[in-house]
PDB file of all heavy atoms in Angstrom:
ATOM      1  N   THR A 215      -6.069   1.642  21.690  1.00 97.00           N
ATOM      2  CA  THR A 215      -6.943   1.473  20.517  1.00 97.00           C
ATOM      3  C   THR A 215      -7.718   2.735  20.295  1.00 97.00           C
ATOM      4  O   THR A 215      -8.177   3.336  21.299  1.00 97.00           O
ATOM      5  CB  THR A 215      -7.908   0.264  20.735  1.00 97.00           C
ATOM      6  OG1 THR A 215      -7.170  -0.913  20.942  1.00 97.00           O
ATOM      7  CG2 THR A 215      -8.752   0.097  19.516  1.00 97.00           C
ATOM      8  N   GLY A 216      -7.926   3.090  19.013  1.00 97.00           N
ATOM      9  CA  GLY A 216      -8.723   4.280  18.736  1.00 97.00           C
ATOM     10  C   GLY A 216      -9.084   4.384  17.259  1.00 97.00           C
ATOM     11  O   GLY A 216      -8.520   3.689  16.423  1.00 97.00           O
ATOM     12  N   LEU A 217     -10.065   5.187  16.959  1.00 98.00           N
ATOM     13  CA  LEU A 217     -10.449   5.493  15.605  1.00 98.00           C
ATOM     14  C   LEU A 217      -9.423   6.313  14.933  1.00 98.00           C
ATOM     15  O   LEU A 217      -8.900   7.276  15.502  1.00 98.00           O
ATOM     16  CB  LEU A 217     -11.811   6.170  15.626  1.00 98.00           C
ATOM     17  CG  LEU A 217     -12.364   6.662  14.263  1.00 98.00           C
ATOM     18  CD1 LEU A 217     -12.682   5.490  13.379  1.00 98.00           C
ATOM     19  CD2 LEU A 217     -13.546   7.560  14.485  1.00 98.00           C
ATOM     20  N   GLY A 218      -9.081   5.990  13.703  1.00 97.00           N
ATOM     21  CA  GLY A 218      -8.195   6.760  12.896  1.00 97.00           C
ATOM     22  C   GLY A 218      -8.920   7.846  12.099  1.00 97.00           C
ATOM     23  O   GLY A 218     -10.129   8.032  12.198  1.00 97.00           O
ATOM     24  N   ASN A 219      -8.186   8.519  11.251  1.00 97.00           N
ATOM     25  CA  ASN A 219      -8.813   9.558  10.401  1.00 97.00           C
ATOM     26  C   ASN A 219      -9.595   8.897   9.272  1.00 97.00           C
ATOM     27  O   ASN A 219      -9.066   8.074   8.537  1.00 97.00           O
ATOM     28  CB  ASN A 219      -7.756  10.458   9.806  1.00 97.00           C
ATOM     29  CG  ASN A 219      -7.188  11.443  10.852  1.00 97.00           C
ATOM     30  OD1 ASN A 219      -7.712  11.579  11.943  1.00 97.00           O
ATOM     31  ND2 ASN A 219      -6.092  12.120  10.455  1.00 97.00           N
ATOM     32  N   ILE A 220     -10.866   9.207   9.119  1.00 98.00           N
ATOM     33  CA  ILE A 220     -11.667   8.678   8.062  1.00 98.00           C
ATOM     34  C   ILE A 220     -11.281   9.374   6.752  1.00 98.00           C
ATOM     35  O   ILE A 220     -11.064  10.581   6.749  1.00 98.00           O
ATOM     36  CB  ILE A 220     -13.153   8.899   8.359  1.00 98.00           C
ATOM     37  CG1 ILE A 220     -13.611   8.014   9.554  1.00 98.00           C
ATOM     38  CG2 ILE A 220     -14.055   8.627   7.166  1.00 98.00           C
ATOM     39  CD1 ILE A 220     -15.022   8.268   9.995  1.00 98.00           C
ATOM     40  N   GLU A 221     -11.127   8.621   5.679  1.00 98.00           N
ATOM     41  CA  GLU A 221     -10.759   9.155   4.416  1.00 98.00           C
ATOM     42  C   GLU A 221     -11.887   9.044   3.373  1.00 98.00           C
ATOM     43  O   GLU A 221     -12.575   8.029   3.291  1.00 98.00           O
ATOM     44  CB  GLU A 221      -9.553   8.420   3.825  1.00 98.00           C
ATOM     45  CG  GLU A 221      -8.287   8.602   4.602  1.00 98.00           C
ATOM     46  CD  GLU A 221      -7.093   7.878   4.009  1.00 98.00           C
ATOM     47  OE1 GLU A 221      -7.233   7.408   2.856  1.00 98.00           O
ATOM     48  OE2 GLU A 221      -6.030   7.733   4.714  1.00 98.00           O
ATOM     49  N   LEU A 222     -12.031  10.113   2.590  1.00 98.00           N
ATOM     50  CA  LEU A 222     -12.958  10.141   1.461  1.00 98.00           C
ATOM     51  C   LEU A 222     -12.120  10.041   0.196  1.00 98.00           C
ATOM     52  O   LEU A 222     -11.029  10.666   0.092  1.00 98.00           O
ATOM     53  CB  LEU A 222     -13.779  11.445   1.425  1.00 98.00           C
ATOM     54  CG  LEU A 222     -14.544  11.750   2.718  1.00 98.00           C
ATOM     55  CD1 LEU A 222     -15.339  13.037   2.583  1.00 98.00           C
ATOM     56  CD2 LEU A 222     -15.499  10.617   3.058  1.00 98.00           C
ATOM     57  N   GLU A 223     -12.570   9.264  -0.779  1.00 98.00           N
ATOM     58  CA  GLU A 223     -11.746   8.970  -1.960  1.00 98.00           C
ATOM     59  C   GLU A 223     -12.586   9.176  -3.230  1.00 98.00           C
ATOM     60  O   GLU A 223     -13.806   8.973  -3.242  1.00 98.00           O
ATOM     61  CB  GLU A 223     -11.301   7.468  -1.949  1.00 98.00           C
ATOM     62  CG  GLU A 223     -10.639   7.052  -0.653  1.00 98.00           C
ATOM     63  CD  GLU A 223     -10.480   5.595  -0.540  1.00 98.00           C
ATOM     64  OE1 GLU A 223     -11.363   4.809  -1.079  1.00 98.00           O
ATOM     65  OE2 GLU A 223      -9.507   5.132   0.080  1.00 98.00           O
ATOM     66  N   ALA A 224     -11.859   9.535  -4.284  1.00 98.00           N
ATOM     67  CA  ALA A 224     -12.489   9.618  -5.636  1.00 98.00           C
ATOM     68  C   ALA A 224     -11.487   9.094  -6.660  1.00 98.00           C
ATOM     69  O   ALA A 224     -10.310   9.479  -6.646  1.00 98.00           O
ATOM     70  CB  ALA A 224     -12.830  11.063  -5.974  1.00 98.00           C
TER      71      ALA A 224
END
Side-chain angles (χ1 to χ4, degrees):
T215 302
L217 175 67
N219 286 349
I220 292 175
E221 292 182 13
L222 306 180
E223 309 168 328

